[in-house]
């Protein structure tokens, strides 16, 4: 679809193309992050159920052959300059995602929640890059299965009932 506007209208709202790109990525990040609020509403007070539901969401997303990986990671590849305004948006989004996974791992009682969060984050990010480079038939399709196995095999703090 077309924006049905002209360059002057854009430049009245954005001082540069770089700021327009940064705002576009900010909108994509907000849309993507809405899944966390949906999961919290669907599974209030149950971080393990939220993690499992997120993994289910990942499985569905990875099975979509139209999906071309993570738009923000794809943009990061195209924008290597550290001072580009979009880089701050991308880095903040990825850090927030990791922090949310880590918070759920802590709340779910994993013994080493930061390590588990690192592994889950890297599996997911790697799968998304695989999806971009190899497509729907690549090993990234197994990411939900791999994360489930990781969560299942990772020790949790025992609670007294």
């Amino acid at each position: 679809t077309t924006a049905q506007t002209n360059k002057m209208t854009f430049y009245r709202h954005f001082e540069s193309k770089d700021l327009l790109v940064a705002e576009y990525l900010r909108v994509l990040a907000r849309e993507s992050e809405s899944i966390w609020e949906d999961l919290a509403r669907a599974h209030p007070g149950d971080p393990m159920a939220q993690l499992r539901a997120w993994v289910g969401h990942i499985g569905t997303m990875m099975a979509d052959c139209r999906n071309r990986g993570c738009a923000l990671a794809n943009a990061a590849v195209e924008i290597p300059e550290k001072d580009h305004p979009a880089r701050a948006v991308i880095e903040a989004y990825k850090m927030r995602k990791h922090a949310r996974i880590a918070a759920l791992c802590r709340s779910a009682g994993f013994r080493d929640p930061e390590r588990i969060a690192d592994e889950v984050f890297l599996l997911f990010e790697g799968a998304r890059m695989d999806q971009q480079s190899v497509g729907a038939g690549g090993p990234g399709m197994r990411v939900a299965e791999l994360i489930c196995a990781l969560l299942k095999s990772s020790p949790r703090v025992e609670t007294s009932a």
Side-chain angles (χ1 to χ4, degrees):
T1 64
T2 61
Q4 297 186 3
T5 190
N6 59 37
K7 283 185 185 181
M8 285 311 289
T9 302
F10 273 122
Y11 288 118
R12 265 185 253 146
H13 297 285
F14 300 98
E15 293 176 24
S16 70
K17 182 174 75 170
D18 291 348
L19 291 175
L20 173 63
V21 169
E23 182 58 27
Y24 173 69
L25 293 175
R26 205 173 280 112
V27 169
L28 291 179
R30 275 194 301 269
E31 288 173 3
S32 177
E33 289 175 325
S34 69
I35 184 67
W36 299 109
E37 286 77 31
D38 295 344
L39 295 173
R41 277 191 300 278
H43 307 281
D46 191 343
M48 199 63 203
Q50 291 176 32
L51 277 169
R52 286 188 190 111
W54 180 67
V55 172
H57 170 74
I58 289 170
T60 301
M61 181 176 55
M62 294 298 290
D64 184 349
C65 62
R66 297 168 298 167
N67 207 320
R68 296 191 55 236
C70 173
L72 281 90
N74 295 343
V77 171
E78 296 294 326
I79 305 169
E81 303 87 10
K82 285 291 187 185
D83 62 340
H84 191 289
R87 290 299 297 202
V89 173
I90 296 164
E91 290 171 14
Y93 166 72
K94 296 295 182 176
M95 289 172 58
R96 284 191 309 272
K97 181 185 290 182
H98 182 276
R100 286 186 186 254
I101 295 167
L104 285 174
C105 288
R106 276 190 300 280
S107 296
F110 285 102
R111 283 203 183 136
D112 193 353
E114 301 304 322
R115 181 185 62 80
I116 301 301
D118 287 349
E119 292 176 10
V120 168
F121 181 81
L122 289 171
L123 281 169
F124 177 67
E125 291 295 314
R128 297 285 277 166
M129 291 307 293
D130 176 72
Q131 189 176 43
Q132 168 65 323
S133 58
V134 177
M141 289 293 294
R142 295 187 53 221
V143 71
E145 169 192 342
L146 295 170
I147 293 173
C148 281
L150 172 66
L151 295 175
K152 186 175 183 178
S153 68
S154 297
R156 294 171 66 189
V157 176
E158 295 185 30
T159 58
S160 55

